[in-house]
Amino acid sequence: MVGMTDTAQQKLRAQPRLTRQDGSPIRIVVVDDEQSLADLVAMGLKYEGWDVKTAANGQQALQAVREFRPDAVVLDIMLPDIDGLTVLQRLRSAGFDVPVLFLTAKDSLDDRVAGLTAGGDDYVTKPFGLEEVVARLRGLIRRTATAAEESSVLWVGDLMMDEDSYEVRRGGKQIDLTATEFELLRYLMRNPRRVLSKAQILDRVWSYDFGGRASVVELYISYLRKKIDTLGPPMIHTVRGVGYQLRAAE
Amino acid sequence: MVGMTDTAQQKLRAQPRLTRQDGSPIRIVVVDDEQSLADLVAMGLKYEGWDVKTAANGQQALQAVREFRPDAVVLDIMLPDIDGLTVLQRLRSAGFDVPVLFLTAKDSLDDRVAGLTAGGDDYVTKPFGLEEVVARLRGLIRRTATAAEESSVLWVGDLMMDEDSYEVRRGGKQIDLTATEFELLRYLMRNPRRVLSKAQILDRVWSYDFGGRASVVELYISYLRKKIDTLGPPMIHTVRGVGYQLRAAE
DNA sequence: ATAGCCTATGCGCATCCTGTGCGTCTCCTT
DNA sequence: AAGGAGACGCACAGGATGCGCATAGGCTAT
């Protein structure tokens, strides 16, 4: 990837890649006792070009942070040994300011977790979609000094998305999106001009435990079209037998 | 191949060959319990100039990866001993980040396959065409750090193909292709100036279980001509009794 | 009660392939 | 050298398939 010609990169990746201040890759520690889930998240983050270490319990987590000095931590609340919130506490008292993204089951959504965002941390409820985890992590990292600055605003042609305020506009006109529509559009806007298969979209935007068919993607694409493509020349294009593509109208 | 002069190589292969960072050939492990299919794929990949090892079950697969350190793995889901997805999991737990291309029957495309592309892995449904397998593998490898840089854009004369955005242009003018037309043109563009027989094309572009006649190739060549050769001097040439050739107009 | 997420169903049409027929090149025969 | 038969390549038309889309409706969480 290092020496890849700018032109080829640029064309597909209009958005700059998030890196540390010195340009080296973002580092993340993923903590979950369920091996397969930790691996899933880890692979998803590596796909972003980030460096990832995994840990299976609180002890390993603390050690991993000490050694690896990550830019953020993905931390399951339920751990076999030390409670996730206690891990956070110990990290803080040891002087680590690294932001933490918690993973928590929806029903056990503790009141204590709700107060996390005040401290600069954040949480995501299981089951989650990978895009959401990545987006939350980018948000956390962006708000700290560890990363090269990056705006929270995405642009594709005259289409704008502010990931922080959840605002979407096309040519100044505001667009109301549901949560799922927003996630889908974000994925498309992060990969402009690139043809994304329904399987890819399903895997990235929908939760890992979603058993349904790929036809939901068609449905939500049609929703987006009604809200976006009606405001100007079409931007969402079907590549029959392959997938969908978002690009600026010529 | 060994003693072949560089010039002869160059003439036939205008596109840079995908290699590892040190210039040595890409290494692949192919896992399928059906011997003939594993051999078919292996031969196809060797033809790309890659190093290939085959394995017939999960145990052998794990061992082969340990010893051979491939840049990617082609892995059948249905294996006699260990399930393909379990093989993936074991590889990940053992710390192998090697990307995996799964082979799966279309009807048994079960939910477990979901989540694969999120981690950077991918899959192809049986029956498949060799070109598709090779293209997917190149995509997987290109996205990892193990390979020397390669762009997703092919050029032959004023004809351009972007494999990521599925964009095809001749002299700036956009060309719409169907999936099969695209596959065929990709094969031609990867082998410019080289005369490809109908049998070769059939073997590479169409599925291995395709029973039809070679006349489909003629048909699709005629489609491509209508879309490409009408935009300038002809680039697709018939070598009667031998095959077809794509080359830049002088 | 409402908004949002998803499933189910049916339809239209792009795409893929087969079949047929015709023109032309090749090569064999005389 | 001329003629002819067969092979080869190409054009065109028609039919089957399945992909993508629209619509309706049920379920759930707020």
Side-chain angles (χ1 to χ4, degrees), chain B residues 198 218 225 238 241 244:
Chain B
K198 284 175 224 178
E218 299 170 9
R225 278 184 168 141
T238 303
Y244 297 98

Side-chain angles (χ1 to χ4, degrees), chain A residues 12 46 193-195 200 203, chain B residues 97 115 117 143 164-165 167:
Chain A
L12 289 179
K46 279 176 187 165
R193 300 199 69 82
R194 179 179 195 145
V195 177
Q200 266 179 309
D203 287 350
Chain B
D97 286 344
T117 68
R143 286 183 242 293
D164 279 346
S165 65
E167 225 180 297

Side-chain angles (χ1 to χ4, degrees), chain A residues 1-10 12-13 17 25 46-50 191 194, chain B residues 18-21 138-152 164:
Chain A
M1 232 31 150
V2 178
M4 192 177 210
T5 60
D6 276 348
T7 51
Q9 269 284 17
Q10 291 289 324
L12 289 179
R13 187 166 271 280
R17 185 182 291 276
K46 279 176 187 165
Y47 190 69
E48 290 289 309
W50 298 350
N191 296 279
R194 179 179 195 145
Chain B
L18 184 65
T19 62
R20 321 189 89 213
Q21 277 174 341
R138 270 198 300 259
L140 280 180
I141 294 166
R142 202 192 317 133
R143 286 183 242 293
T144 69
T146 62
E149 68 244 55
E150 192 195 59
S151 114
S152 62
D164 279 346

Side-chain angles (χ1 to χ4, degrees), chain B residues 94-202:
Chain B
F96 292 105
D97 286 344
V98 53
V100 172
L101 180 70
F102 279 97
L103 305 180
T104 162
K106 190 181 284 175
D107 46 3
S108 78
L109 214 177
D110 62 82
D111 305 336
R112 299 173 306 158
V113 181
L116 284 179
T117 68
D121 297 313
D122 202 353
Y123 67 92
V124 165
T125 57
K126 295 183 184 180
F128 47 78
L130 265 178
E131 265 306 291
E132 197 184 350
V133 170
V134 172
R136 292 287 176 90
L137 279 174
R138 270 198 300 259
L140 280 180
I141 294 166
R142 202 192 317 133
R143 286 183 242 293
T144 69
T146 62
E149 68 244 55
E150 192 195 59
S151 114
S152 62
V153 179
L154 297 173
W155 279 98
V156 174
D158 60 348
L159 184 64
M160 182 225 67
M161 164 181 288
D162 187 324
E163 295 186 83
D164 279 346
S165 65
Y166 279 79
E167 225 180 297
V168 177
R169 290 175 179 278
R170 179 166 185 193
K173 182 150 175 46
Q174 174 139 7
I175 301 172
D176 274 345
L177 298 180
T178 70
T180 308
E181 289 164 2
F182 186 88
E183 288 287 313
L184 172 56
L185 180 60
R186 166 153 61 191
Y187 183 44
L188 294 178
M189 288 185 74
R190 289 226 146 250
N191 297 278
R193 303 200 64 84
R194 177 176 191 152
V195 179
L196 302 165
S197 74
K198 284 175 224 178
Q200 265 179 311
I201 295 174
L202 213 54

Side-chain angles (χ1 to χ4, degrees), chain B residues 176-243:
Chain B
D176 274 345
L177 298 180
T178 70
T180 308
E181 289 164 2
F182 186 88
E183 288 287 313
L184 172 56
L185 180 60
R186 166 153 61 191
Y187 183 44
L188 294 178
M189 288 185 74
R190 289 226 146 250
N191 297 278
R193 303 200 64 84
R194 177 176 191 152
V195 179
L196 302 165
S197 74
K198 284 175 224 178
Q200 265 179 311
I201 295 174
L202 213 54
D203 285 347
R204 272 256 149 181
V205 177
W206 271 261
S207 316
Y208 54 82
D209 74 337
F210 179 71
R213 317 255 107 247
S215 58
V216 256
V217 178
E218 299 170 9
L219 184 63
Y220 274 85
I221 287 283
S222 85
Y223 289 158
L224 281 185
R225 278 184 168 141
K226 274 183 198 136
K227 294 185 176 181
I228 291 171
D229 282 353
T230 52
L231 298 178
M235 298 179 66
I236 303 174
H237 303 274
T238 303
V239 181
R240 198 184 167 84
V242 187

Side-chain angles (χ1 to χ4, degrees), chain A residues 105-226:
Chain A
K106 192 179 288 177
D107 45 4
S108 75
L109 216 177
D110 213 297
D111 290 345
R112 296 173 300 165
V113 179
L116 283 175
T117 56
D121 298 309
D122 201 354
Y123 66 93
V124 165
T125 58
K126 293 184 184 179
F128 47 79
L130 261 179
E131 267 306 294
E132 196 183 351
V133 170
V134 172
R136 292 289 174 89
L137 279 174
R138 271 197 303 258
L140 281 180
I141 294 166
R142 204 191 313 129
R143 285 187 268 286
T144 70
T146 62
E149 64 226 70
E150 190 195 57
S151 139
S152 63
V153 178
L154 298 172
W155 279 98
V156 174
D158 60 348
L159 184 63
M160 182 225 67
M161 164 181 287
D162 188 325
E163 294 187 84
D164 278 351
S165 64
Y166 282 80
E167 220 180 303
V168 177
R169 291 174 178 277
R170 179 166 185 192
K173 181 150 174 47
Q174 174 142 3
I175 301 172
D176 274 345
L177 297 180
T178 69
T180 308
E181 289 164 3
F182 184 86
E183 289 292 319
L184 172 56
L185 180 61
R186 166 153 60 193
Y187 184 45
L188 294 178
M189 289 185 73
R190 289 223 139 251
N191 296 279
R193 300 199 69 82
R194 179 179 195 145
V195 177
L196 302 165
S197 73
K198 283 176 227 180
Q200 266 179 309
I201 296 174
L202 209 56
D203 287 350
R204 272 260 149 182
V205 176
W206 270 260
S207 319
Y208 51 82
D209 73 338
F210 179 74
R213 315 253 107 249
S215 58
V216 252
V217 178
E218 298 170 13
L219 186 63
Y220 275 85
I221 287 284
S222 85
Y223 290 159
L224 280 185
R225 278 184 168 142
K226 274 182 196 135

Side-chain angles (χ1 to χ4, degrees), chain B residues 79-106:
Chain B
L79 290 176
D81 55 344
I82 319 172
D83 178 68
L85 289 159
T86 311
V87 173
L88 172 69
Q89 207 172 342
R90 296 215 189 156
L91 282 176
R92 293 288 180 265
S93 333
F96 292 105
D97 286 344
V98 53
V100 172
L101 180 70
F102 279 97
L103 305 180
T104 162
K106 190 181 284 175

